[in-house]
Amino acid sequence: MKTAIFSLSHAPFLSTMLLAAVLMISFNLSLPAQQPPSNSVDVQREAMHKLSFLAGHWSGLVTIVRGPGEPLHFAQTEDVEYKLDGLVLLIQGKSTSADGKVPFSALATVAYDDASHTYHFRAYNAGHYLDTELSVPTNGFSWSFTSGPAHIVNTMHLTAKGEWDEVTDVTVGSNPPHRSVEMHLQHQP
């Protein structure tokens, strides 16, 4: 019969293994604490559902006023769809001139943060992006930001006919607001 004799020369190896095992167990136990509660996704999805009236393809006209001179008129489309099983709303807008050129194209995402109870709006255009909060009243939305001395407010609402009406007002300093964009779109089948 052989007897196993424990050697003290293995002690550093065993203590390293024990420490590694304890760290792995601690890490695995802390993961659930860092994850959002299981109903977090349901809360986010429910909040995002408040914007379901936007989903689909929209088209119509947009008028843009950039200082003195004639306003610019373009055909406008907005394609809106949910992504990630309803957790993110993707919005792609495009203005097209009469000669087929695209002077304006933007992409935006909307997501709901259930921890802060806020909608987050991120828009991309011409190599720039904007991060801001999105307010979601019934059948509409609004967002704003400040750039230098200008404060820009964008407001959208559905009309009684179910049309998408959106305006952008710019206020510079203490001057009255100036309407820079008016958009009127119809939902397409």
Side-chain angles (χ1 to χ4, degrees), residues 122-175:
R122 179 171 247 203
Y124 303 86
N125 168 261
H128 302 282
Y129 71 91
L130 166 73
D131 279 321
T132 190
E133 286 187 18
L134 184 79
S135 172
V136 182
T138 303
N139 291 329
F141 64 78
S142 67
W143 51 270
S144 65
F145 68 100
T146 300
S147 179
H151 182 69
I152 296 92
V153 178
N154 187 284
T155 307
M156 178 275 177
H157 74 275
L158 280 183
T159 67
K161 294 180 183 178
E163 296 176 331
W164 177 322
D165 274 3
E166 187 170 342
V167 297
T168 303
D169 293 318
V170 179
T171 304
V172 179
S174 60
N175 294 316

Side-chain angles (χ1 to χ4, degrees), residues 78-79 81 83 89-94 104-110 121-126 128-130:
E78 298 283 340
D79 290 303
E81 63 181 302
K83 295 293 185 180
L89 196 63
L90 181 69
I91 305 167
Q92 186 167 9
K94 181 171 71 170
F104 177 81
S105 181
L107 182 73
T109 59
V110 177
F121 178 78
R122 179 171 247 203
Y124 303 86
N125 168 261
H128 302 282
Y129 71 91
L130 166 73

Side-chain angles (χ1 to χ4, degrees), residues 1-7:
M1 173 184 238
K2 292 186 178 180
T3 306
I5 300 175
F6 181 72
S7 168

Side-chain angles (χ1 to χ4, degrees), residues 26-37:
S26 297
F27 179 74
N28 286 336
L29 290 175
S30 70
L31 278 179
Q34 295 174 8
Q35 299 296 321

Side-chain angles (χ1 to χ4, degrees), residues 26-136:
S26 297
F27 179 74
N28 286 336
L29 290 175
S30 70
L31 278 179
Q34 295 174 8
Q35 299 296 321
S38 61
N39 68 348
S40 176
V41 171
D42 296 333
V43 169
Q44 292 172 33
R45 194 172 287 114
E46 182 179 327
M48 290 302 296
H49 185 71
K50 292 178 183 175
L51 292 165
S52 63
F53 64 90
L54 292 172
H57 178 73
W58 299 79
S59 64
L61 300 176
V62 63
T63 301
I64 302 171
V65 178
R66 293 185 180 181
E70 291 295 314
L72 304 171
H73 302 282
F74 300 112
Q76 179 73 24
T77 59
E78 298 283 340
D79 290 303
V80 183
E81 63 181 302
Y82 281 102
K83 295 293 185 180
L84 299 176
D85 198 24
L87 295 176
V88 176
L89 196 63
L90 181 69
I91 305 167
Q92 186 167 9
K94 181 171 71 170
S95 300
T96 307
S97 62
D99 62 1
K101 293 182 180 174
V102 178
F104 177 81
S105 181
L107 182 73
T109 59
V110 177
Y112 183 75
D113 180 352
D114 58 311
S116 65
H117 306 289
T118 56
Y119 291 88
H120 293 279
F121 178 78
R122 179 171 247 203
Y124 303 86
N125 168 261
H128 302 282
Y129 71 91
L130 166 73
D131 279 321
T132 190
E133 286 187 18
L134 184 79
S135 172
V136 182

